[in-house]
Amino acid sequence: MLSHLFADSRLIRWLFASSWWRSALALLVLLGILIYLGLLYIDAIAIDNQRRIENYRQRVGGSTAAQLWALSVQQRDSKLFVLHDRSWVNQSDLFMLLSQQEETVQPAGITPEQRQQLLEALRQSDLFRPPEVLDFATPFVLTPILVVGRRWELPDSDDPLDQQQQVLRWHQGVEFVESLSGGGILIQELVRLNLLTSFVESSQRWLSLDDEQELVRVANTLARIEPPRQAIVRAIQIEMLVALNAFGDLWGDNGFGDLWGDNGDTKPWLPFCFDLKCFLDRSVEWSLDPFDQDKIDLISEPPPFYAPITSVMTLGYAGVLSRVHAVDSGLLAIRAAFDAMIAKKRGQEWQPPEGMVRIVSSDGTVRIRATEGPEGTDIYLPR
């Protein structure tokens, strides 16, 4: 037995006497240490991701997208238009008829009777309630609302309207847009923005109304519109929670936890924690202040190669935010313009509120603009 041990010890000495084997063994040991440290680093990233997600949920006020959406509807300013249920839209024969007519080369406007019928159905519908579950598969009623909203102010050749009827049509259109597309998530806000742009621009026609009470009514309707800038911030944050939930769904219910599962098995999705970290660094941080130019520039850059999911979830937000900024500035300016015209009718001096400026040209032309508004959002007052 001693001879066998002696022989084995000589074999071991012979193996380790070779420099090649010693180098190989040292390399294997080093590789094992690096793998272990790498796994510990991945584990630390995964745990930090979870901490940041929980912190984000606390900052925006909701643990899920559906919860945040419901909270935003519950806390909606009572002075704004009331949000109504949208499920009846797909069941409305009139909606379907008007949607089909829009496919013609030159769609006609909606008749007063049709508008009144739509408004009555809208006002009789239930109040809007966000869905209990919100994800990328949640269906939304968008196309009929967009189609009818675009046709709302088109002229009806068979029934021309006088100015008073045109003003009424505008009031009804704003209520239609705000009640059926307001208070929503990102895709709904984009639909509302598309329609709201037209109604904000057309409201300038009513600055020349002679009746002070009519001016006041238009101003009151404008005041009930949710500012696009405020709405898009909420919509983006809801969208971020939907995306974070999608990250969790992709890699199971264990989510963004420790390196080791309940059975001691390494979670197969852990390399994607760097993808999630990239999403948190870029999109989630930006959503807390979407109009910060530095953050806009960051999310506009292509994500790194190791973030394929972030690449899929990254949209061209820069163009959207630019348009939101323009419409929001235009809304603020037109509100101030109506206040100025009402004050003029009453023989009162009007001073622009904070954030607005009154510009008088050399020819006496007066225009109002938001101090941070982009070019082209000035509102000219009638002489």
Side-chain angles (χ1 to χ4, degrees), residues 102-237:
E102 203 267 344
E103 298 176 359
T104 60
V105 178
Q106 291 183 338
I110 302 174
T111 66
E113 293 76 16
Q114 290 173 330
R115 287 194 298 272
Q116 188 60 38
Q117 184 178 343
L118 289 173
L119 261 294
E120 289 177 358
L122 165 66
R123 292 165 181 169
Q124 292 173 5
S125 63
D126 295 333
L127 297 181
F128 174 70
R129 292 183 179 180
E132 295 182 359
V133 177
L134 178 62
D135 53 31
F136 289 125
T138 303
F140 298 101
V141 180
L142 297 173
T143 303
I145 297 173
L146 179 61
V147 169
V148 173
R150 284 176 173 174
R151 294 183 56 189
W152 197 274
E153 287 196 294
L154 290 179
D156 181 15
S157 58
D158 296 332
D159 189 11
L161 304 179
D162 58 27
Q163 186 183 65
Q164 185 176 4
Q165 291 173 320
Q166 291 178 20
V167 176
L168 175 61
R169 179 181 63 186
W170 179 85
H171 283 288
Q172 293 174 333
V174 174
E175 180 181 356
F176 173 86
V177 171
E178 287 294 292
S179 297
L180 287 183
S181 62
I185 62 171
L186 186 59
I187 185 64
Q188 293 174 319
E189 281 303 324
L190 295 180
V191 170
R192 185 178 82 103
L193 186 68
N194 184 290
L195 298 175
L196 194 59
T197 302
S198 173
F199 284 100
V200 171
E201 291 177 354
S202 62
S203 66
Q204 299 180 42
R205 293 178 294 172
W206 316 131
L207 286 170
S208 58
L209 290 171
D210 294 327
D211 189 344
E212 177 188 327
Q213 293 303 315
E214 287 296 331
L215 287 172
V216 172
R217 291 191 188 97
V218 174
N220 289 338
T221 296
L222 289 169
R224 298 182 66 189
I225 298 175
E226 184 178 19
R229 187 183 181 107
Q230 169 185 307
I232 202 69
V233 171
R234 176 205 62 245
I236 287 174
Q237 291 174 354

Side-chain angles (χ1 to χ4, degrees), residues 68-103:
L68 179 58
W69 192 2
L71 183 64
S72 67
V73 171
Q74 181 182 352
Q75 296 178 344
R76 181 178 170 88
D77 191 341
S78 59
K79 296 179 182 178
L80 302 177
F81 280 100
V82 176
L83 302 178
H84 283 271
D85 179 52
R86 296 102 200 252
S87 61
W88 64 275
V89 170
N90 284 333
Q91 303 170 8
S92 169
D93 294 336
L94 180 56
F95 254 110
M96 296 302 103
L97 174 64
L98 294 174
S99 298
Q100 294 171 0
Q101 291 177 350
E102 203 267 344
E103 298 176 359

